[in-house]
């Protein structure tokens, strides 16, 4: 058996913070898993170092399922983003090792390729509708077949998804949370105007997406969904907070705009009612925040029998390790929908050498054994951790709101 002899957590900040778990077997084979939880990085690092790693040493690296069950059922305190990100890191590192030992790219172990490549969506954003459309035109020229549109809202100094850097996006912009201001009344009429302008400029042969980032009530989301219908959006994301999964019944009754939810979910239980009742069209759970490949297989399986497709989260705060693992999953999973692809900076990319490549609006995970992503430890050590928090939102009268 390939015995686990070493495991360590590497925290690095090549432009932004990433937490990576590296597991090594007695034969010297190693695997890596992403454990980054934006703004809570050190909590996961401590969970791994203090509570998980001591229990891994000496185990058989091939027993991925048993180790997953040990860390989930055996912990008594189940679920939650910190626990599930730590489990995900172990799971992905072990799948990486298993595939390397087999001499195969990971997607072959999952069941082989179901498609030639993985359609991704990029992010067009700007302070005004005109700027966002210019960005979207540039994305289309780069070959993207799917583009997310976010624009500034007149009367609000800043809003979610509108960034200074065009290809990258970093909302964790200060050591302590920045306070933003929100107004749903100002936002709601802006988005249909954006989509109308986008369809005029881009035509019909490109998918258009939008993220409401948990800011609407169900009836407001229903209104927005109806208003967007003439422009045939690919999806409306995170229309309302999903702690109350039944909220989506109301949205569903009113609009045919497809709904995507789940980037903040960390287990199948967060999505069960949404999927069972076919209240959503795309499930956005990620490898890193929802228990790794082993758990996403269960979520995707439940989704498949309920006509829900995958549309995994792929923001800059999910490391290249997570992206690599997600691409292997996407290439295999039968009910694939789309993959989010927010690019990493060149500084991040060199710390995480990777086999995946972009061409014609799609990514391919490559043919390297394992998931094809590694970490350059010597380079990583040059970028020490820097505290960074996600913003908070307040309404114009000061009431604390969802960000
Ligand atoms: O860390 C938070 C980001 O990952 C999130 O705000 C990005 O909503 C997001 C998206 O759809 O990529
Ligand atoms: Mg989102």
């Amino acid at each position: 058996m390939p015995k686990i002899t070493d495991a360590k957590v590497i925290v690095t900040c090549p432009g932004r913070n990433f937490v990576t778990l590296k597991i090594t077997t007695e034969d010297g084979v190693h695997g890596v898993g992403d454990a980054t939880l934006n703004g809570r990085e050190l909590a996961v690092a401590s969970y791994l170092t203090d509570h998980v790693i001591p229990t891994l040493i000496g185990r058989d690296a091939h027993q991925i399922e048993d180790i997953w069950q040990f860390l989930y059922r055996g912990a008594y305190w189940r679920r939650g983003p910190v626990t599930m990100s730590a489990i995900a890191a172990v799971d992905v590192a072990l799948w990486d090792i298993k595939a390397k030992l087999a001499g195969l790219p990971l997607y072959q172990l999952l069941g082989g390729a179901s498609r030639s490549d993985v359609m991704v969506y990029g992010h067009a954003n700007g302070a005004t509708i005109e700027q966002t459309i210019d960005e979207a035109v540039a994305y289309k020229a780069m070959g993207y077949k799917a583009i997310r549109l976010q624009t500034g809202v007149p009367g609000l100094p800043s809003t979610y998804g509108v960034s200074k850097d065009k290809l990258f996006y970093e909302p964790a912009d200060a050591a302590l949370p920045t306070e933003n201001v929100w107004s749903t009344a100002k936002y709601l009429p802006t988005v249909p105007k954006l989509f109308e302008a986008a369809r005029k400029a881009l035509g019909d042969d490109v998918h258009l997406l939008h993220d409401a980032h948990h800011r609407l009530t169900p009836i407001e989301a229903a209104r927005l969904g109806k208003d967007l219908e003439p422009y045939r959006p690919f999806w409306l994301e995170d229309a309302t907070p999903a702690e109350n999964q039944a909220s989506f019944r109301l949205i569903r009754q009113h609009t045919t705009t497809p709904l995507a939810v789940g980037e903040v979910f960390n287990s199948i239980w967060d999505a069960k009612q949404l999927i069972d009742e076919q209240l959503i069209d795309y499930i956005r759970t990620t490898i890193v925040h929802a228990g790794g490949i082993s758990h996403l297989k269960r979520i995707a399986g439940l989704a498949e029998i309920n006509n829900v497709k995958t549309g995994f989260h792929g923001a800059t705060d999910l490391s290249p390790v997570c992206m690599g693992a997600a691409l292997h999953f996407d290439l295999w999973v039968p009910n694939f929908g789309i993959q989010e692809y927010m690019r990493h900076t060149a500084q991040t990319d060199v710390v995480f050498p990777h086999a995946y490549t972009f061409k014609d609006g799609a990514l391919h995970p490559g043919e390297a054994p394992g998931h094809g992503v590694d970490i350059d430890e010597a380079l990583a050590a040059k970028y020490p951790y820097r505290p960074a928090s996600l913003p908070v939102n307040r309404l114009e009268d000061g009431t604390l709101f969802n960000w």
Side-chain angles (χ1 to χ4, degrees):
M1 73 166 185
K3 198 196 277 186
I4 297 173
T5 48
D6 188 44
K8 65 173 161 183
V9 176
I10 302 155
V11 182
T12 180
C13 186
R16 73 156 349 278
N17 292 314
F18 293 110
V19 181
T20 308
L21 176 70
K22 179 170 178 176
I23 297 180
T24 308
T25 68
E26 63 185 343
D27 308 320
V29 178
H30 74 267
V32 293
D34 182 21
T36 310
L37 183 60
N38 202 1
R40 296 290 183 270
E41 292 86 359
L42 299 186
V44 188
S46 157
Y47 192 94
L48 281 166
T49 305
D50 298 324
H51 306 291
V52 173
I53 287 176
T55 71
L56 293 179
I57 307 302
R59 285 180 191 273
D60 178 358
H62 271 325
Q63 288 190 283
I64 299 176
E65 188 62 45
D66 184 67
I67 292 174
W68 195 96
Q69 298 294 339
F70 175 82
L71 295 174
Y72 181 83
R73 287 178 197 278
Y76 189 64
W77 309 110
R78 293 182 191 179
R79 303 160 59 192
V82 174
T83 302
M84 296 307 279
S85 300
I87 294 178
V90 175
D91 186 78
V92 170
L94 294 180
W95 277 104
D96 193 22
I97 289 172
K98 192 184 276 296
K100 281 179 178 168
L101 288 172
L104 291 170
L106 176 54
Y107 72 82
Q108 295 290 12
L109 268 57
L110 297 174
S114 301
R115 52 197 57 80
S116 54
D117 51 20
V118 171
M119 178 170 71
V120 298
Y121 68 92
H123 288 205
N125 68 83
T128 62
I129 289 178
E130 292 69 33
Q131 284 173 20
T132 306
I133 301 300
D134 287 349
E135 281 295 305
V137 168
Y139 268 93
K140 202 178 168 195
M142 280 189 268
Y144 281 83
K145 298 178 176 68
I147 305 167
R148 190 183 89 162
L149 304 171
Q150 306 292 138
T151 196
V153 175
L156 293 183
S158 68
T159 189
Y160 166 76
V162 179
S163 59
K164 292 178 250 73
D165 299 318
K166 286 304 164 201
L167 280 175
F168 320 108
Y169 159 79
E170 189 45 80
D173 57 0
L176 295 176
T178 304
E179 298 211 348
N180 293 345
V181 181
W182 178 251
S183 160
T184 301
K186 290 181 172 143
Y187 162 83
L188 274 182
T190 310
V191 189
K193 287 181 201 149
L194 169 67
F195 270 68
E196 186 184 10
R199 274 289 169 230
K200 270 195 198 125
L202 300 164
D204 286 331
D205 62 338
V206 61
H207 300 302
L208 301 178
L209 299 79
H210 181 70
D211 189 350
H213 220 256
H214 323 270
R215 289 169 190 202
L216 306 176
T217 63
I219 202 68
E220 289 163 350
R223 173 79 263 157
L224 180 59
K226 273 170 95 104
D227 287 350
L228 291 180
E229 278 172 24
Y231 315 110
R232 296 169 311 286
F234 186 89
W235 78 32
L236 173 61
E237 176 187 338
D238 286 337
T240 198
E243 284 113 326
N244 183 347
Q245 298 180 43
S247 295
F248 281 78
R249 288 185 186 144
L250 194 143
I251 308 174
R252 210 50 161 176
Q253 280 161 18
H254 291 286
T255 181
T256 57
T257 288
L259 302 172
V261 180
E263 66 181 40
V264 298
F265 291 174
N266 44 74
S267 88
I268 196 166
W269 301 103
D270 295 327
K272 185 174 180 299
Q273 185 181 6
L274 289 171
I275 297 176
D276 276 346
E277 294 186 25
Q278 306 190 21
L279 300 178
I280 57 172
D281 301 279
Y282 296 92
I283 180 71
R284 277 181 54 69
T285 40
T286 40
I287 303 269
V288 50
H289 300 140
I293 290 166
S294 299
H295 197 59
L296 277 220
K297 277 166 66 188
R298 294 184 187 104
I299 297 176
L302 180 67
E304 186 194 2
I305 60 168
N306 285 292
N307 297 310
V308 174
K309 294 183 187 178
T310 63
F312 294 164
H313 187 204
T316 316
D317 50 289
L318 286 70
S319 95
V321 176
C322 179
M323 179 56 78
L327 292 172
H328 284 269
F329 197 98
D330 293 333
L331 199 68
W332 154 72
V333 72
N335 47 327
F336 172 73
I338 199 165
Q339 168 69 51
E340 181 179 16
Y341 177 44
M342 222 187 268
R343 288 166 190 250
H344 291 105
T345 62
Q347 211 178 21
T348 298
D349 277 340
V350 289
V351 171
F352 295 96
H354 52 267
Y356 58 79
T357 48
F358 174 84
K359 195 175 163 223
D360 296 335
L363 283 164
H364 191 283
E367 300 296 338
H371 57 49
V373 187
D374 211 340
I375 181 162
D376 180 332
E377 285 187 66
L379 201 53
K382 293 191 177 153
Y383 302 109
Y385 169 78
R386 282 204 315 252
S389 298
L390 286 169
V392 297
N393 244 349
R394 287 188 187 277
L395 301 181
E396 288 170 296
D397 69 357
T399 308
L400 198 88
F401 194 59
N402 314 316
W403 179 74

